[in-house]
Amino acid sequence: MRYRPISPAVLAGELTDRIDALPGPRLAVAVDGAAGATGTADLADALVDPLRLRGRATLRVSARDFLRPASLRFEHGRTNPDARYTDWLDLGALRREVLDPLKGSGEILPSLWDAERDRATRAARVPLPEGGVVLLDGELLLGAGLAFDLAVHLWLSPVALRRRVPDAWAVPAYERYEEEVGPGSLADVVVRVDDPRHPALYTP
């Protein structure tokens, strides 16, 4: 695999160009990568202002606000990597509250569940006009049937993965994701972030 070194600012600029060129009344863009290690939220945040400057209304959504209740996430323990892989994210809620309305009414629910307080956020729906973009960051987002117009995967080498992921017990979940899903083969854009200050863009 060949990678082109790129600064974070240039990366954000190139992604903005690519998103702005996509067809469709409203767009769903995913920034996928291991939580706490790849900077998915930082990259998604960096796209907000450039897209708005181009007249694109943007709405930031985080997958961590669509986790299942603790009783379901932790049914097999709080540090079970298989549960992290299969049971933490409420895929149905993401489809129902974000991705499906994006192609229909445009009324998006930006958050559903406060995982820290383990209760509903009671957030109000946000109307997203035509031309708008939802920027969704999170982990293990690809290969699960979620419909994205553009998917960015922030990739870590195996050594960097084990070194950078703050929850060491979760590493097997990401290794399983790499082996079973191959997110790099599904994403439209792959960025190596072993050192987040010096990303490198995959060039096929």
Side-chain angles (χ1 to χ4, degrees), residues 172-183:
Y174 301 124
E175 292 175 336
R176 181 179 171 187
Y177 184 51
E178 185 72 25
E179 180 179 350
E180 295 183 3
V181 174

Side-chain angles (χ1 to χ4, degrees), residues 102-149:
L102 192 67
K103 304 304 180 183
S105 67
E107 298 282 333
I108 311 300
L109 189 69
S111 66
L112 177 66
W113 196 257
D114 184 332
E116 291 187 4
R117 298 182 178 181
D118 200 35
R119 67 185 187 189
T121 62
R122 302 185 185 278
R125 293 188 178 275
V126 176
L128 190 68
E130 290 198 6
V133 181
V134 164
L135 297 167
L136 171 69
D137 76 280
E139 64 175 21
L140 310 173
L141 295 175
L142 306 183
L146 298 177
F148 300 118
D149 297 286

